[in-house]
C-alpha cells in the first residue's frame, strides 16, 4: 500500500470491514468489539456474533439471524467511532474503516482505485457515505471529527 497515492484508496467490499465492529460496552461504556462470524453465504449482517468488552470483559452472544428477520449488526449498542458534525453523524465500524474514511476524505474526492486483485470493484462503502460528508466544503470539518474520534474513542 505504500506506493498508493494518498488521494486514491483501494476499493474494498463491505465485508472487508464488517467482521469487526467497535461499540460502547453495555456495562462500562468502555471499548467493546463485536466479532462477526462467517455469514455462510448470507448477508454479513445475519451472521452470528460475539461482543467482548476490552475494558471489563463482558461477553454477549447473538445467534445467526433467522431468514427474514433483520437484526441490528451492532447488537443494539451505539457504534463507538461516531464522527459528530454540524451536518450529521458519520460512523466507522472499526479502526481500519476509520483509516479508510480518513484517507478517502482527506485525499480529496477521487474515484476509487480498482481493487488490486481480480478486478473486483465495489464502491459501496464510499457510495454509502452521505453527500454532506463528501462535499468539499465540509471536508475539513469531517477530517477534524475523524481525528477527534481517533484521539478520544480508540
Ligand atoms: Zn465493559
Amino acid at each position: 500500500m505504500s506506493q498508493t497515492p494518498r488521494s486514491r484508496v483501494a476499493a474494498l467490499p463491505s465485508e472487508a470491514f464488517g467482521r469487526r465492529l467497535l461499540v460502547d460496552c453495555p456495562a462500562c461504556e468502555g471499548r467493546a468489539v463485536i466479532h462477526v462470524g462467517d455469514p455462510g453465504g448470507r448477508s454479513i449482517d445475519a451472521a452470528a456474533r460475539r461482543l467482548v468488552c476490552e475494558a471489563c470483559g463482558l461477553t454477549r452472544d447473538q445467534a445467526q439471524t433467522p431468514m427474514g428477520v433483520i437484526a441490528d449488526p451492532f447488537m443494539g449498542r451505539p457504534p463507538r467511532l461516531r464522527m459528530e458534525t454540524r451536518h450529521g453523524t458519520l460512523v466507522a465500524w472499526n479502526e481500519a474503516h476509520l483509516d479508510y474514511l480518513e484517507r478517502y476524505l482527506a485525499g480529496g474526492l477521487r474515484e476509487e482505485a480498482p481493487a488490486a486483485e481480480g478486478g473486483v470493484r465495489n464502491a459501496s462503502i464510499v457510495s454509502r457515505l452521505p453527500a454532506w460528508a463528501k462535499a468539499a466544503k465540509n471536508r475539513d470539518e469531517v477530517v477534524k471529527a475523524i481525528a477527534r474520534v481517533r484521539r478520544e474513542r480508540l
Side-chain angles (χ1 to χ4, degrees), residues 25 27-30 53 55-58:
C25 171
C28 75
E29 301 291 319
C53 177
C56 74
L58 176 105

Side-chain angles (χ1 to χ4, degrees), residues 23-76:
V23 295
D24 292 338
C25 171
C28 75
E29 301 291 319
R31 189 173 91 163
V33 182
I34 295 176
H35 302 276
V36 180
D38 187 337
R42 294 182 54 201
S43 160
I44 192 145
D45 286 352
R49 56 204 60 219
R50 165 170 286 188
L51 178 154
V52 179
C53 177
E54 293 181 334
C56 74
L58 176 105
T59 300
R60 275 193 189 169
D61 289 307
Q62 179 171 293
Q64 177 162 330
T65 309
M67 282 287 186
V69 175
I70 295 172
D72 179 4
F74 289 89
M75 297 174 68

